């Protein structure tokens, strides 16, 4: 979130949360690509790479995954996140929700839209009986870290990732 903009009511954006539709994909990928980190890993082309549609279809068919968008007054997606529900043996077999891929259209950052979207996701996790909501954010995203902390998230763990190369064909 941009620190230069206020989250005051005069900047509030009228939006509703809904499941993403295939026709939202161009806008979603556009939001994902619209920052220095995303620009290096996303491919915003027209038409989009078929891998985006395949991922969308897999998410849509999985009852433990939801791709949510905030829809503006014109019906277009103006913010997005993916919410994944996972059962765990820990916490007495409790469920947790993981929030990923949070993006708000760049011209709407700082308007409270991200807070609305995260509130919807947290409420959805409660509806699903989750005992915990977790997320990760890149270390380079200091504004995002402050934003998540303002919502009550705490940096309690160290996240680690291992990038995989594709398996050789025939293995």
């Amino acid at each position: 979130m941009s620190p230069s903009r206020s989250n005051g009511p005069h900047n509030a954006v009228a939006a509703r949360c809904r499941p993403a539709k295939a026709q939202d994909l161009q806008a979603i990928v556009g939001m994902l690509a619209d920052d220095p980190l995303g620009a290096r890993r996303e491919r915003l082309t027209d038409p989009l790479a078929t891998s985006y549609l395949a991922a969308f279809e897999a998410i849509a068919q999985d009852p433990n995954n939801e791709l949510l968008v905030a829809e503006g007054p014109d019906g277009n997606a103006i913010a997005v996140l993916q919410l994944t529900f996972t059962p765990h043996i820990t916490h007495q077999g409790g469920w947790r929700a993981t929030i990923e891929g949070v993006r708000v259209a760049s011209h709407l950052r700082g308007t409270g839209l991200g807070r609305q979207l995260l509130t919807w996701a947290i409420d959805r996790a409660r509806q699903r009986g989750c005992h915990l909501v977790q997320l990760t954010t890149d270390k380079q995203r200091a504004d995002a870290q402050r934003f998540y902390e303002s919502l009550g998230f705490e940096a309690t763990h160290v996240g680690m990732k291992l990038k995989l190369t594709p398996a050789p064909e025939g293995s």
Side-chain angles (χ1 to χ4, degrees):
M1 306 303 286
S2 171
S4 63
R5 294 192 189 167
S6 159
N7 282 346
H10 62 281
N11 282 345
V13 174
R16 73 176 187 96
C17 185
R18 63 165 171 80
K21 301 181 243 180
Q23 54 264 45
D24 296 321
L25 276 177
Q26 192 76 31
I28 290 169
V29 175
M31 287 183 277
L32 294 172
D34 188 23
D35 69 36
L37 295 174
R40 290 194 310 251
R41 63 181 172 234
E42 303 304 336
R43 238 181 25 182
L44 184 58
T45 58
D46 190 10
L48 288 174
T50 57
S51 56
Y52 288 111
L53 185 57
F56 174 82
E57 290 172 354
I59 292 166
Q61 293 174 14
D62 183 343
N64 290 318
N65 269 289
E66 297 180 7
L67 189 62
L68 302 175
V69 296
E71 177 183 88
D74 61 1
N76 291 324
I78 54 176
V80 64
L81 65 75
Q82 183 172 341
L83 189 57
T84 302
F85 304 100
T86 310
H88 284 261
I89 296 300
T90 62
H91 294 271
Q92 302 175 36
W95 283 73
R96 65 181 64 182
T98 303
I99 297 173
E100 298 182 279
V102 179
R103 293 294 190 286
V104 172
S106 58
H107 69 284
L108 294 172
R109 292 179 190 150
T111 63
L113 183 57
R115 185 169 299 278
Q116 278 182 280
L117 189 62
L118 267 287
T119 299
W120 287 321
I122 293 166
D123 288 347
R124 182 71 180 122
R126 279 193 186 99
Q127 292 168 3
R128 289 282 303 254
C130 295
H131 70 89
L132 179 80
V133 177
Q134 61 189 18
L135 56 77
T136 61
T137 186
D138 194 284
K139 290 179 181 182
Q140 298 175 56
R141 298 184 190 276
D143 288 345
Q145 291 169 36
R146 282 190 294 276
F147 169 67
Y148 296 131
E149 288 169 350
S150 78
L151 289 166
F153 286 87
E154 298 175 11
T156 60
H157 291 67
V158 173
M160 302 176 94
K161 295 182 179 185
L162 174 65
K163 291 194 184 239
L164 302 176
T165 57
E169 287 192 36
S171 62

